[in-house]
């Protein structure tokens, strides 16, 4: 699962594909969600292939931007619920699930 929404960075780069990379639960305090953003889903697919490859000389340069979101602590929150929450934030409002 990921989110599709066009977001322009200050330097003019357009990001279109956003995925949850990690969730860090600080017990009884908060959840910290890391979101990775790419110019396209195709760039994310290149990253997946990079990690599958055993070629030591292969390089990857697809990752563009990281966002961290602090949420109220919820021990049992699911990724689907986090994506739903992200779409309530201004940055990801009106994003499409993909």
């Amino acid at each position: 699962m990921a989110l599709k929404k066009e977001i322009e960075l200050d330097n003019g780069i357009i990001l279109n594909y956003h995925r949850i990379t990690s969730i860090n639960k600080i017990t009884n305090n908060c959840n910290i969600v890391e979101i990775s953003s790419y110019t396209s889903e195709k760039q994310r697919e290149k990253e997946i292939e990079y990690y599958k490859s055993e070629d030591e000389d292969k390089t990857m340069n697809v990752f563009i931007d990281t966002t961290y979101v602090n949420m109220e602590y919820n021990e049992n929150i699911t990724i689907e619920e986090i994506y739903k929450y992200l779409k309530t934030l201004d940055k990801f409002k009106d994003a499409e699930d993909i």
Side-chain angles (χ1 to χ4, degrees), residues 58-74:
K58 191 173 183 177
T59 60
M60 175 187 61
N61 187 20
V62 299
F63 184 72
I64 302 296
D65 190 55
T66 302
T67 301
Y68 292 94
V69 174
N70 289 326
M71 298 176 63
E72 184 177 320
Y73 179 72
N74 180 338

Side-chain angles (χ1 to χ4, degrees), residues 38-50:
Y38 306 79
T39 55
S40 67
E41 187 172 358
K42 183 178 178 181
Q43 294 301 97
R44 167 63 178 138
E45 291 167 3
K46 286 182 182 179
E47 181 183 48
I48 291 169
E49 290 305 313
Y50 169 82

Side-chain angles (χ1 to χ4, degrees), residues 2-3 15-19 36-38 40-41 44 98:
L3 297 176
L15 306 173
N16 288 292
Y17 185 87
H18 318 276
R19 72 176 185 93
S36 296
S37 296
Y38 306 79
S40 67
E41 187 172 358
R44 167 63 178 138
I98 54 172

Side-chain angles (χ1 to χ4, degrees), residues 2-41:
L3 297 176
K4 181 177 182 179
K5 179 178 180 182
E6 186 173 294
I7 297 173
E8 184 174 353
L9 297 178
D10 291 341
N11 62 8
I13 293 175
I14 305 290
L15 306 173
N16 288 292
Y17 185 87
H18 318 276
R19 72 176 185 93
I20 295 172
T21 308
S22 67
I23 304 163
N24 188 6
K25 296 182 180 188
I26 311 301
T27 306
N28 298 321
N29 188 357
C30 68
N31 292 345
I32 303 171
V33 181
E34 178 185 9
I35 301 106
S36 296
S37 296
Y38 306 79
T39 55
S40 67
E41 187 172 358

